[in-house]
């Protein structure tokens, strides 16, 4: 999946599948390392996406909890 078309939900599903593979007892060490590396990259992508969304929400809501009109930029 390309970075432009990646969604948070699809990335989380992929990460969950990797976790299930890592939890299996019969994963060869080389495969486990590869899964772990990919999982860490996906985890970072999800964390970065959540940080971006938190910033967007902070820009939408004022201190008194009211919504303010803003333009949301895609990165």
């Amino acid at each position: 999946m390309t970075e432009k078309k990646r969604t948070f939900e699809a990335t989380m599903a992929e990460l969950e599948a990797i976790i299930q593979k890592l939890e299996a007892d019969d994963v060869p060490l080389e495969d486990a390392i590869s899964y772990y590396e990919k999982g860490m990259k996906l985890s970072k992508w999800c964390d970065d996406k959540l940080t971006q969304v938190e910033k967007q929400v902070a820009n939408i809501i004022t201190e008194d909890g009211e919504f303010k009109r803003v333009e949301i930029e895609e990165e």
Side-chain angles (χ1 to χ4, degrees), residues 14-28 31-32 35 38:
E14 190 175 354
L15 186 55
E16 288 172 8
I18 288 172
I19 291 169
Q20 289 177 351
K21 289 177 185 177
L22 287 171
E23 289 176 342
D25 291 334
D26 59 350
V27 178
D31 291 344
Y35 291 143
K38 185 170 185 178

Side-chain angles (χ1 to χ4, degrees), residues 56-62 64-73:
Q56 288 176 337
V57 169
N59 285 330
I60 294 171
I61 299 177
T62 63
D64 59 357
E66 297 295 320
F67 290 103
K68 59 183 175 181
R69 188 171 181 87
V70 294
E71 296 293 325
I72 298 176
E73 298 177 16

